[in-house]
């Protein structure tokens, strides 16, 4: 079994600003505040909230008695019970532990992809059986924080159940090992560290929050107090709410960045690739691997209907909760007795009567909410800014070159004869136009902008009549060793063809991808695949069978360049192994995520910029119909599997970006800084020059 590891772990090397506070249109709350000794208050109406819906949430919470509060704009909007009464929070402690991990990362003491054993001389011991597995040296900090390290449930010294990164299992022992690793790395009692760096600045006092001595292991480790992450903190709701507000603000508190904003972004998301892992005890934890981050639960998979997908929360025994809803600027905290469970119900079911009315109070209604593409436009990009490419300056909109009007699509490859080859859809190609509107037509493009010429290639074995979803269309094209390869969508499932005569005649594979890969595209290198990193070709696609649905993630496949026609030669990206290298599997059902963006993964084109040694991935579809208006993004990475960072991201470009785009290597300057974007905006072969701004203190990686 291949070992999977969270793909995002290397992304923490890139700095990112604190998360923006984004709100549902027309329901923006009052100016955000930070509480002093006391919270400022606002009525539900002043905060833009429906009081009746808030009362529904409060009344459900009180079926378990206890205390709670709802905060918007940094102001207390509703509360119940005694906010200063302390409760045993049990597993909510895990999310406090996540903050300690964030501090250690900010201080350079640990990294997510570190092997845990490098920080702990007796890691996993006692229990000699753990040492005999050969797995202890493979476990990473990220796996301890994501419940994928393999430990059994109890917080003491327990057995490893499986090889790290191959399953998801809820555990107290794994997080407790993480607490010890951080303690040893920081050489501090974590209780003291947290009060010094977080709790005291938040206005949380020792009377508000108590972290007990370790109940499962010796009191000290290397002469330092040994704390737990699995459990152990008791706190009042006031302290819980202040802690939650820090996360809602992206780690910022009164202008001081107490926690790294990029860490908060990662901790609150589902681990890319981890969502495919099987869950131990699914009858108890459901599809937990689909909605668990770094010691926080979340709704990234939409498991709780009528609640935003960016919502995340701590969750302890007796349903102690700290709930963060960034897109609604809402913070909710609650503690008391546990709520009544229905027999055999999904583990998230008990949360619905509490979270759904809170979201509804802010106007979140799935029936009238923006579709996934538009919802994506309301929030910041899914990855931090690039540390190598600081941005891109576009040529004026008036300078955009538009040819082949009435045709879209335009995947591109640089062939052995020096020409670019492409495919168009729903049109008649370049002038002189072909007689009939084609769903799939072919063309070659010569020259350099602005002096380029497009010529239609007629091919009985490739051309297809039709338009929209009713006709076959090309989504990827590649030239390798003088042979053109074409990936075709809308063909039941995506289909591969090839041509040895530059597009005149085509042979089609006797197989298709069986799941996912509804809109695949090739990774392009230089002329005739010159400069490729190895002997493989790479294919990316949204993880969907349809080219017309926005997926939650992109997936990746590869095959030897000489064996693309052989289905048995294809492998699928399954995540990174403990060494940070890509893991591959022949089983398409075990494919993992190479890029995660819930509801935002649509059509794309990816090319290697050789002078800068960066992979540039254009992604379109920020909006529903982007022919004439909408957004798109460009991401970069040092390897085909990441880590991805953001070069350019906009929800509303100054012109329509269309539904496809790429940066052909042929039209990149020798220094890699001048590029041409080919896109289908305005239903044409559209070309716009861009100038990349390179970080002065960075060198290509």
């Amino acid at each position: 079994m291949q070992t999977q590891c969270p793909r995002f772990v290397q992304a923490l090397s890139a700095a990112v600003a604190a998360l923006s506070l984004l709100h549902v249109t027309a329901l923006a709350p009052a100016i955000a505040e930070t509480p002093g000794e006391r919270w400022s208050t606002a009525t539900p109406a002043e905060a833009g909230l429906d009081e009746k819906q808030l009362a529904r949430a409060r009344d459900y919470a009180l079926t378990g008695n206890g205390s709670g509060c709802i905060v918007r704009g940094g102001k207390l909007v509703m509360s119940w019970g005694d906010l200063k009464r302390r409760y045993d929070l049990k597993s909510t402690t895990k999310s406090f532990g996540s903050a300690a991990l964030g501090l250690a990362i900010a201080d350079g003491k640990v990294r997510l992809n570190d092997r845990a054993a490098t920080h702990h001389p007796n890691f996993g011991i006692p229990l000699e059986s753990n040492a005999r597995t050969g797995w202890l040296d493979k476990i990473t900090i990220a796996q301890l924080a994501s419940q994928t390290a393999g430990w059994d449930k109890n917080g003491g010294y327990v057995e490893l159940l499986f090889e790290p990164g191959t399953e998801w299992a809820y555990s107290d022992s794994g997080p407790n090992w993480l607490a010890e690793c951080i303690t040893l790395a920081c050489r501090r009692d974590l209780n003291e560290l947290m009060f010094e760096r977080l709790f005291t600045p938040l206005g949380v006092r020792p009377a508000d929050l108590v972290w007990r001595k370790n109940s499962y292991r010796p009191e000290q480790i290397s002469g330092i107090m040994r704390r737990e992450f699995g459990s152990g903190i008791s706190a009042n709701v006031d302290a819980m709410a202040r802690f939650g507000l820090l996360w809602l603000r992206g780690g910022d508190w009164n202008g001081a960045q107490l926690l790294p904003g990029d860490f908060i972004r990662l901790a609150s998301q589902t681990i890319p690739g981890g969502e495919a892992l099987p869950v131990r005890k699914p009858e108890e934890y459901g599809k937990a691997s689909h909605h668990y981050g770094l010691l926080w639960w979340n709704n990234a998979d939409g498991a709780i209907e009528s609640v935003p997908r960016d919502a995340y929360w701590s969750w302890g025994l007796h349903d102690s909760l700290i709930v963060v809803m960034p897109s609604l600027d809402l913070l909710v905290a609650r503690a008391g007795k546990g709520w009544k469970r229905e027999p055999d119900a999904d583990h998230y079911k008990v949360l619905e009567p509490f979270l759904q009315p809170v979201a509804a109070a802010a106007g979140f209604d799935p029936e009238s909410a923006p579709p996934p593409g538009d919802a994506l436009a309301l929030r910041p990009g899914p990855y931090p800014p690039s540390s190598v490419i600081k941005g891109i300056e576009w040529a004026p909109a008036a300078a955009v070159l538009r040819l082949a009007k009435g045709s879209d699509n335009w995947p591109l490859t640089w062939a052995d004869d020096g020409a670019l080859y492409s495919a168009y859809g729903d049109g008649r190609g370049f002038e002189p136009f072909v007689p009939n509107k084609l769903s799939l037509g072919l063309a070659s493009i010569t020259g350099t902008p602005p002096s380029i010429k497009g010529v239609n290639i007629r091919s009985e074995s490739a051309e297809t009549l039709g338009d929209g979803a009713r006709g076959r269309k090309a989504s990827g094209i590649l030239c390798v060793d003088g042979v053109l390869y074409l990936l075709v969508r809308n063909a039941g499932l995506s289909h591969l063809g090839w041509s040895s005569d530059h597009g005149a005649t085509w042979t089609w594979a006797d197989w298709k991808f069986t799941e996912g890969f509804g809109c695949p595209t090739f990774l392009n290198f230089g002329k005739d695949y010159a400069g490729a990193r190895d002997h493989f070709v790479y294919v990316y696609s949204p993880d969907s069978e349809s080219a017309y649905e926005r997926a939650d993630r992109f997936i990746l496949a590869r095959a030897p360049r000489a064996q693309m026609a052989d289905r048995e030669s294809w492998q699928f990206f399954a995540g990174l192994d403990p060494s940070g290298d890509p893991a591959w599997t022949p089983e398409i059902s075990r494919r993992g995520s190479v890029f995660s963006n819930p509801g935002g993964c649509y059509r794309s084109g990816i090319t290697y910029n050789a002078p800068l040694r960066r992979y540039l991935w254009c992604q379109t579809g920020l909006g529903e119909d982007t022919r004439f208006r909408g957004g798109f993004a460009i991401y970069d990475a040092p390897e085909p599997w990441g880590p991805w960072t953001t070069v350019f991201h906009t929800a509303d470009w100054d012109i329509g970006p269309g539904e496809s785009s790429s940066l052909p290597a042929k039209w990149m300057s020798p220094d890699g800084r001048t590029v041409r974007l080919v896109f289908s905006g305005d239903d044409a072969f559209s070309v716009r020059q861009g100038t990349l701004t390179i970080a002065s203190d960075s060198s290509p990686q």
Side-chain angles (χ1 to χ4, degrees):
M1 180 178 290
Q2 297 282 354
T3 299
Q4 295 189 355
C5 179
R7 188 199 52 75
F8 61 70
V9 294
Q10 299 175 13
L12 290 173
S13 60
V16 63
L19 294 177
S20 300
L21 297 179
L22 301 170
H23 315 293
V24 173
T25 304
L27 286 171
I31 297 174
E33 293 188 3
T34 300
E37 184 176 349
R38 296 179 181 274
W39 291 80
S40 296
T41 61
T43 66
E46 290 170 339
L49 299 173
D50 185 325
E51 186 172 4
K52 291 183 178 179
Q53 293 286 6
L54 295 186
R56 284 182 56 205
R58 176 202 61 202
D59 293 346
Y60 177 75
L62 285 170
T63 62
N65 299 321
S67 312
C69 67
I70 298 171
V71 174
R72 198 179 205 198
K75 294 183 177 181
L76 195 64
V77 178
M78 180 174 283
S79 65
W80 57 93
D82 182 358
L83 299 190
K84 288 295 186 177
R85 176 186 172 184
R86 224 171 48 228
Y87 296 86
D88 185 358
L89 302 185
K90 301 298 184 185
S91 284
T92 286
T93 303
K94 293 179 173 66
S95 298
F96 285 95
S98 181
L101 172 59
L103 289 176
I105 289 172
D107 293 345
K109 302 296 186 181
V110 300
R111 298 176 303 168
L112 284 176
N113 59 347
D114 285 351
R115 303 291 181 90
T118 63
H119 296 287
H120 197 312
N122 298 308
F123 181 68
I125 308 299
L127 282 191
E128 292 299 326
S129 59
N130 288 337
R132 291 194 295 268
T133 64
W135 297 336
L136 288 176
D137 289 339
K138 298 180 179 181
I139 296 173
T140 66
I141 295 294
Q143 288 167 342
L144 291 174
S146 61
Q147 304 288 21
T148 60
W151 301 103
D152 206 347
K153 173 65 171 69
N154 187 277
Y157 299 120
V158 298
E159 292 184 337
L160 280 171
L161 301 176
F162 50 81
E163 183 178 359
T166 62
E167 296 185 51
W168 187 99
Y170 195 73
S171 170
D172 289 342
S173 184
N176 285 352
W177 283 115
L178 176 63
E180 294 187 13
C181 289
I182 296 174
T183 297
L184 293 172
C186 296
R187 305 300 304 172
R188 293 284 304 277
D189 176 355
L190 296 184
N191 183 59
E192 294 178 358
L193 178 68
M194 294 280 279
F195 266 98
E196 176 185 305
R197 300 280 294 279
L198 292 184
F199 298 151
T200 299
L202 297 180
V204 176
R205 301 171 180 174
D208 300 317
L209 185 149
V210 174
W211 204 340
R212 74 183 184 204
K213 297 178 181 179
N214 197 301
S215 294
Y216 295 94
R217 303 180 185 184
E219 183 176 302
Q220 293 189 342
I221 179 171
S222 296
I224 307 168
M225 289 295 295
R226 179 191 256 120
R227 304 293 174 176
E228 302 173 46
F229 284 176
S231 186
I233 284 180
S234 62
N236 59 38
V237 168
D238 180 84
M240 296 166 68
R242 290 169 184 268
F243 180 72
L245 185 61
L246 175 67
W247 290 76
L248 182 63
R249 297 282 172 79
D252 178 271
W253 194 267
N254 280 332
Q257 195 70 35
L258 303 186
L259 281 174
D262 54 349
F263 175 78
I264 284 180
R265 184 191 298 270
L266 296 175
S268 61
Q269 297 175 348
T270 300
I271 296 167
E275 66 269 25
L277 297 179
V279 174
R280 285 278 174 124
K281 298 184 179 180
E283 70 282 359
E284 186 172 350
Y285 298 108
K287 296 181 178 180
S289 60
H290 291 65
H291 43 238
Y292 197 84
L294 296 178
L295 299 174
W296 287 86
W297 297 89
N298 63 58
N299 198 43
D301 60 345
I304 302 182
E305 296 180 357
S306 303
V307 172
R309 288 195 173 203
D310 67 350
Y312 60 99
W313 52 89
S314 67
W315 193 6
L317 187 66
H318 306 309
D319 298 316
S320 61
L321 292 164
I322 303 171
V323 184
V324 182
M325 297 185 183
S327 60
L328 302 181
D329 190 23
L330 277 169
L331 181 283
V332 187
R334 181 268 168 187
K337 295 181 180 178
W339 296 316
K340 183 178 180 181
R341 265 78 170 161
E342 299 176 8
D344 302 321
D346 181 80
H347 75 137
Y348 264 12
K349 190 72 175 176
V350 71
L351 299 177
E352 291 180 358
F354 185 55
L355 300 185
Q356 288 174 339
V358 170
F364 184 81
D365 180 355
E367 297 299 322
S368 60
D374 290 342
L376 180 70
L378 296 175
R379 64 180 190 260
Y383 289 92
S386 173
S387 61
V388 176
I389 305 174
K390 289 301 184 182
I392 184 167
E393 181 180 349
W394 297 107
V400 173
L401 175 66
R402 299 193 193 273
L403 301 172
K405 294 183 178 180
S407 299
D408 60 15
N409 245 14
W410 307 118
L412 285 164
T413 193
W414 189 2
D416 59 313
D417 62 0
L420 289 173
Y421 284 80
S422 188
Y424 59 88
D426 294 345
R428 297 167 59 201
F430 291 93
E431 295 187 48
F433 297 134
V434 300
N436 298 310
K437 185 177 183 179
L438 297 176
S439 171
L440 172 54
L442 302 166
S444 66
I445 301 97
T446 55
T448 301
S451 300
I452 62 174
K453 180 181 180 181
V455 176
N456 300 318
I457 301 169
R458 307 310 304 272
S459 173
E460 292 184 2
S461 52
E463 285 183 1
T464 307
L465 295 173
D467 58 16
R470 294 183 295 273
R472 288 161 56 97
K473 288 182 170 62
S475 55
I477 190 168
L478 183 70
C479 187
V480 180
D481 302 326
V483 178
L484 290 177
Y485 293 87
L486 200 65
L487 286 166
V488 174
R489 58 180 173 87
N490 302 1
L493 291 167
S494 52
H495 201 187
L496 176 70
W498 55 91
S499 170
S500 299
D501 53 13
H502 294 104
T505 58
W506 291 82
T507 302
W508 298 94
D510 59 1
W511 56 271
K512 298 178 182 180
F513 289 113
T514 56
E515 51 185 283
F517 294 94
C519 190
T521 188
F522 287 109
L523 164 60
N524 268 270
F525 286 91
K527 180 180 179 181
D528 199 28
Y529 214 55
R533 74 178 308 280
D534 51 37
H535 69 284
F536 289 97
V537 298
Y538 295 86
V539 171
Y540 300 77
S541 175
D543 193 7
S544 170
E545 277 76 54
S546 171
Y548 300 89
E549 295 178 358
R550 288 165 173 78
D552 291 340
R553 65 180 189 170
F554 279 97
I555 50 179
L556 172 64
R558 72 175 186 178
R561 60 194 287 173
Q563 298 172 261
M564 279 188 279
D566 178 11
R567 171 63 181 85
E568 299 303 315
S569 296
W570 286 85
Q571 300 173 321
F572 303 93
F573 179 75
L576 300 180
D577 66 19
S579 299
D581 297 322
W584 302 92
T585 174
E587 301 175 30
I588 193 170
S589 62
R590 294 190 57 218
R591 65 194 183 278
S593 171
V594 73
F595 186 102
S596 180
N597 189 14
C601 298
Y602 198 44
R603 301 176 187 174
S604 71
I606 183 165
T607 310
Y608 184 60
N609 186 319
L612 299 183
R613 300 181 186 176
R614 305 296 286 183
Y615 294 84
L616 299 180
W617 195 352
C618 300
Q619 297 185 16
T620 56
L622 303 188
E624 283 303 289
D625 186 346
T626 52
R627 289 176 298 169
F628 309 112
R629 183 176 181 179
F632 80 106
I634 301 174
Y635 303 95
D636 72 328
E639 293 286 1
W641 36 85
W644 299 103
T645 50
T646 303
V647 172
F648 179 79
H649 184 282
T650 179
D652 193 9
W653 207 25
D654 57 348
I655 55 177
E659 291 192 326
S660 60
S661 60
S662 65
L663 296 164
K666 181 181 179 181
W667 292 343
M668 293 178 180
S669 63
D671 64 2
R673 286 161 168 75
T674 301
V675 297
R676 273 87 171 187
L677 181 79
V678 176
F679 60 105
S680 61
D682 206 23
D683 272 350
F685 183 89
S686 301
V687 185
R688 190 176 194 179
Q689 181 170 305
T691 303
L692 300 176
T693 302
I694 309 304
S696 59
D697 58 349
S698 298
S699 59
Q701 299 178 16

